[in-house]
Amino acid sequence: MSGFSFTLSATDGRARSGVIRTPRGEIRTPAFMPVGTAGTVKAMLPESVRATGADILLGNTYHLMLRPGAERIARLGGLHRFMNWSRPILTDSGGFQVMSLSELRKLTEEGVTFSSHVDGSRHFLSPETSMEIQRLLGSDIVMAFDECPALPATHERQAEAMRLSMRWAQRSRDAFGDRPGHALFGIMQGGVERDLREESAAALRRIGFDGYAIGGLAVGEGQEAMLSVLDYATHLLPAEQPRYLMGVGKPDDIVGAVQRGVDMMDCVLPSRSGRTGQAWTRRGQINIKNARHADDPRPLDETCTCPACTGYSRAYLHHVFRAGEMISGMLLTWHNLHYYQQIMQQMREAIAAGTLEDWVAGFHAERAGGDIEPL
Ligand SMILES: [Zn+2]
């Protein structure tokens, strides 16, 4: 009895809907996970994030270990209590951020030594230390420690990084041990190289995990390349466990991934866009700083039930963005997260009804007919 389970309730083509059960609550899939990098989904209260329909948040090991520190969070009762979010939390392993954000990195078989981008202090991350930090945080879904090479990367470099990640996956599995109610996910690597993806999936399946992530995508390869990897990558993973596509994405990326059998995704995009004046809607993207909105009494989307759309005009949102008021980021982030969760809810319902293909056609038709603006 692990206290963690995944039940598939419906399939439609390759798309799946189901429920992940954890001691901290259920996660309806396909699920979108808002990113709470440093113990907060920026500009949102936890209850507001929940009100958008989120069942689970993502926290970043790299950011939290550097500031305020995993031991401090553990002493204060764990990440859930610290950030006032009682539902499930997935933490990444720190592997991706240490490669993209830290300085003076030294990568060895053992792990990565690096300098903090915050204060320059030296730290060490390895499969064992990453498992320990994620345990101190109290994460419900723990990610194996991996290396995601920067693109462009040669086949040889991708192969080397993937094989190191698979050795680290075994060490992560060994260090994680047996923790009832907590899950450990392995991460498939291999870039856009099919032979490497196959080798990686086979290695992970031999080790055995509670769920399987697809890493190393959404790192600049473009949507077409990403979806063509997903065309075969989800087939390589066990059908009876959740599949998590890391760091994706734009609304149409998410829809394409769900159509290819992905169950979970996370991305900073809806919250980050909200702070830079970008709204995602069913009719495309709205750039609220554009002068054309200055006198527009309409909401962002007249069919949206979020607080930004029920209470405020585009003209007001334009004004508060231009004036640098904090409420601008708050309202646009709320709207974007609400829109993302609406897409997930509608896809879950369409999969259950066996009508996903029609829903996807409508999704694309509505966007094509809308007022999409360039970034
Ligand atoms: Zn809205």
Side-chain angles (χ1 to χ4, degrees), residues 309-326:
C309 293
T310 52
Y312 304 91
S313 62
R314 294 187 191 193
Y316 179 77
L317 296 171
H318 170 82
H319 158 68
V320 289
F321 180 83
R322 286 287 188 98
E325 292 292 343
M326 283 190 279

Side-chain angles (χ1 to χ4, degrees), residues 304 306 309 335:
C304 179
C306 88
C309 293
H335 166 81

